[in-house]
Amino acid sequence: MSWAVEEWKEGLSPRVLQKIHELESQVDKLKKERQQRQFQLESLEAALHKQKQKVENEKNEAATLKRENQSLMELCDNLEKAKQKISHDLQVKESQVNIQSGQLNSSKKDIERLEQELKR
């Protein structure tokens, strides 16, 4: 079949044949270059897609971490409020204990005084 492709060149001058050969070589070279660039383009597109996917994953992870951080902040606020309530309750109970301790000491003194009076 290649003989049919080459048949049209019969009878052409050597100078024209040389020019045709140069042009054909240039076409082959350009085809190879185009293939290489097409491969580079496909590789770059794949890398871009991979980077976009990576960015999307990072965005999702950042959103998840932001939600988790918000949840933890709310938990910390709730724990701080509970701590303050417990601290207040402790102060109230300590105050009650001090009052009762004072009453106990007063009662002990009264008992001692009464015991002393009884002994007399």
Side-chain angles (χ1 to χ4, degrees):
M1 192 76 174
S2 66
W3 60 269
V5 172
E6 297 293 323
E7 196 173 89
W8 66 274
K9 295 180 187 178
E10 287 180 13
L12 296 176
S13 71
R15 189 170 172 221
V16 171
L17 287 174
Q18 175 64 29
K19 187 66 175 172
I20 290 171
H21 178 69
E22 288 173 10
L23 289 173
E24 286 175 339
S25 294
Q26 190 176 5
V27 166
D28 288 342
K29 181 181 173 185
L30 290 171
K31 282 181 181 178
K32 288 178 184 176
E33 188 177 318
R34 187 181 134 279
Q35 286 176 338
Q36 287 177 342
R37 291 195 178 182
Q38 183 65 33
F39 177 75
Q40 287 175 339
L41 176 63
E42 290 170 359
S43 297
L44 289 172
E45 285 175 341
L48 176 63
H49 177 72
K50 191 174 183 180
Q51 286 297 326
K52 283 183 178 181
Q53 187 65 40
K54 200 174 186 181
V55 167
E56 188 63 31
N57 290 342
E58 292 292 329
K59 282 182 182 179
N60 290 339
E61 185 176 345
T64 300
L65 290 173
K66 190 174 181 179
R67 283 191 303 273
E68 184 178 341
N69 187 42
Q70 182 65 31
S71 175
L72 289 172
M73 286 174 58
E74 290 171 4
L75 181 61
C76 284
D77 287 344
N78 291 339
L79 288 172
E80 182 62 30
K81 287 176 186 174
K83 177 186 167 193
Q84 288 174 357
K85 183 181 182 304
I86 290 170
S87 179
H88 178 264
D89 290 349
L90 178 61
Q91 287 175 350
V92 168
K93 294 201 186 288
E94 285 176 343
S95 176
Q96 289 172 345
V97 166
N98 287 337
I99 290 170
Q100 290 177 350
S101 180
Q103 289 174 345
L104 178 61
N105 286 338
S106 175
S107 295
K108 281 182 181 179
K109 287 179 183 177
D110 286 345
I111 290 172
E112 286 177 11
R113 186 180 46 79
L114 291 172
E115 285 178 344
Q116 289 296 326
E117 284 182 18
L118 282 174
K119 285 181 184 178
R120 288 185 204 162

